[in-house]
Amino acid sequence: MVIGYDAKRAFCNRTGLGNYSRGVIAGVLRASRGKDMRALLYTPYVKPAFSDYFSAVPQAEVRKPQGLWRCMPNTWRTLAPAQHVGLDDVQLYHGLSHELPLFLPAGVRRVVTMHDLIVRRYPHYFSLFDRIIHRVKQRHACRVADVVVAISEQTKRDLIDLMHVPEEKIRVVYQSCEPQFWQPVSDAQVDAVREKYGLPQRYVVSIGTVEERKNQLCAIEAVKQLPADVVLVVIGRPRGAYGKRVVAAAGRRVRVLSGVAFADFPALYAGAVASVYMSRFEGFGIPVLESICCDCPVVTSNVSSMPEAGGDAALYAAPDDHAAVAAHLLRLLGDEAFRRECIKKGRAWRTRFSPEVLAQQMLDLYNSLLHD
């Protein structure tokens, strides 16, 4: 089996789409157990941080622009793979982030992953140029794909309702979180991270880009109702006017940290009393799953895909109901037996999102397309 991947995000993005792309590629190769499978990774460029990411994987080969194409890397990504996949005998091409190249040969099966349709639900978050580009790429990809992979039932519903993609063309394959979140975190690691960032013994953590959709101000209002020794730690890059408002709220009860090492995230979750993620909309609430994987009880919003990510292991409130968020946090702070029960539920719930389970589901999807 020869699989081609749009690997730009795998080699260029540190989080989000990059994590997803690297996880799918590496996971499928592991799931294949070396059975006559090659992965050809098409990328317009490679950032130094990821230059050796797949170097130890013999089944993975990188394809980059050559000659004059190096002056037009993004155009190469759209046009050149059509020629390469023919020469490479690619049987199936997977666009891992909302798009597929133009003019892929007729015999190549096509899969595209759609993470969300936020550009259609919340167009005001995007420039006019970005709205047009995203919409054109999404429409083309969903039209020519044999299968559209949705990362949640929420995204599946949006594909049907907002883009009129036939339901029978969509397959839901959830995404997991990075392998580091599945590793046990020691007390020593928690102590080291607490000292590194100057955190108190009791803190609540909220991780995600600081922007209006992520709704960190709800957590800030909630923490004002907690005991005075509990601090909210907001971790993420502030964006726009909303980010400035959140930064302005920083003080004794609120810490805003940007530029935090991704490797420290598991210990930051594990050391927290709880995490809060009151986003108004997500294709899939990765911070919810990250928290659960780190044995950190999570309070999240009861809308969009968050209940899919949290199941019965999370605590829920309406996105703007800071009083309900505070009530959940007060119970977690004051009732250790209840907190342990939330962690126990999380350990059972998270197994359905293990990288091994989801990689096997993706490999099964590939096999079904190539052998139908």
Side-chain angles (χ1 to χ4, degrees):
M1 184 188 302
V2 183
I3 309 297
Y5 287 101
D6 175 7
K8 175 186 175 182
R9 306 293 183 182
F11 288 111
C12 298
N13 290 49
R14 290 186 177 274
T15 58
L17 297 178
N19 289 341
Y20 174 81
S21 299
R22 289 184 292 274
V24 168
I25 296 167
V28 167
L29 289 173
R30 283 194 300 268
S32 70
R33 297 175 179 86
K35 294 179 181 176
D36 191 28
M37 182 171 180
R38 294 170 64 212
L40 301 178
L41 315 181
Y42 299 93
T43 180
Y45 31 79
V46 175
K47 288 190 174 180
F50 302 108
S51 59
D52 296 324
Y53 194 87
F54 293 100
S55 60
V57 184
Q59 307 103 303
E61 302 173 35
V62 179
R63 296 286 189 268
K64 294 187 294 184
Q66 301 296 322
L68 291 176
W69 279 118
R70 286 180 291 185
C71 301
M72 303 176 288
N74 290 319
T75 304
W76 177 90
R77 183 185 179 215
T78 301
L79 297 177
Q83 178 184 6
H84 284 290
V85 297
L87 297 173
D88 289 332
D89 296 322
V90 169
Q91 298 166 277
L92 182 150
Y93 191 94
H94 189 165
L96 294 164
S97 56
H98 302 115
E99 57 188 294
L100 286 168
L102 299 176
F103 312 123
L104 287 173
V108 177
R109 307 309 297 268
R110 303 166 177 86
V111 177
V112 65
T113 295
M114 299 297 291
H115 297 264
D116 58 61
L117 294 182
I118 291 173
V119 70
R120 294 169 185 267
R121 278 185 165 272
Y122 301 98
H124 56 283
Y125 291 147
F126 300 82
S127 69
L128 176 60
F129 177 79
D130 284 342
R131 290 201 299 269
I132 293 171
I133 291 296
H134 285 311
R135 284 170 174 258
V136 168
K137 287 182 176 181
Q138 289 175 354
R139 185 167 57 246
H140 167 260
C142 290
R143 180 176 59 82
V144 303
D146 296 295
V147 170
V148 178
V149 172
I151 64 165
S152 65
E153 292 290 343
Q154 175 64 60
T155 297
K156 177 181 177 179
R157 290 193 296 270
D158 283 353
L159 285 166
I160 295 169
D161 295 342
L162 302 180
M163 292 188 65
H164 311 295
V165 177
E167 183 174 4
E168 60 272 15
K169 195 175 185 176
I170 305 170
R171 301 289 185 275
V172 174
V173 180
Y174 286 108
Q175 67 179 106
S176 188
C177 50
E178 280 284 274
Q180 67 174 11
F181 294 101
W182 295 88
Q183 304 302 316
V185 179
S186 68
D187 291 342
Q189 289 173 300
V190 170
D191 291 342
V193 164
R194 182 179 281 116
E195 182 178 357
K196 180 178 179 179
Y197 297 104
L199 303 181
Q201 193 65 31
R202 299 208 299 177
Y203 67 90
V204 174
V205 68
S206 180
I207 296 181
T209 302
V210 182
E211 59 185 358
E212 185 176 358
R213 179 168 56 88
K214 303 292 187 181
N215 194 28
Q216 284 91 351
L217 287 175
C218 178
I220 290 174
E221 290 301 311
V223 81
K224 294 176 182 178
Q225 303 169 55
L226 305 184
D229 66 318
V230 180
V231 169
L232 174 67
V233 182
V234 177
I235 298 172
R237 178 165 53 90
R239 281 186 180 175
Y242 186 87
K244 292 178 181 177
R245 289 172 62 194
V246 172
V247 170
R252 189 178 62 83
R253 300 296 304 276
V254 180
R255 298 276 307 280
V256 180
L257 304 177
S258 58
V260 173
F262 186 63
D264 290 338
F265 281 18
L268 286 164
Y269 279 121
V273 173
S275 72
V276 177
Y277 192 68
M278 298 306 296
S279 177
R280 300 182 187 281
F281 189 88
E282 299 291 332
F284 184 75
I286 279 290
V288 175
L289 180 59
E290 290 173 350
S291 186
I292 290 171
C293 286
C294 296
D295 288 342
C296 178
V298 57
V299 181
T300 188
S301 51
N302 60 0
V303 298
S304 180
S305 63
M306 267 64 76
E308 290 184 70
D312 66 351
L315 304 171
Y316 299 97
D320 293 312
D321 192 350
H322 54 81
V325 173
H328 285 316
L329 293 173
L330 284 167
R331 187 174 182 189
L332 289 167
L333 284 161
D335 188 341
E336 185 58 28
F338 175 69
R339 187 174 183 277
R340 287 197 299 268
E341 181 63 23
C342 290
I343 292 172
K344 181 181 178 181
K345 287 181 178 179
R347 290 173 178 173
W349 175 256
R350 69 197 185 199
T351 57
R352 71 195 63 201
F353 301 107
S354 76
E356 295 78 16
V357 168
L358 300 182
Q360 186 61 54
Q361 290 177 9
M362 193 68 79
L363 182 59
D364 291 345
L365 171 60
Y366 294 170
N367 282 319
S368 69
L369 276 174
L370 294 175
H371 299 102
D372 62 5

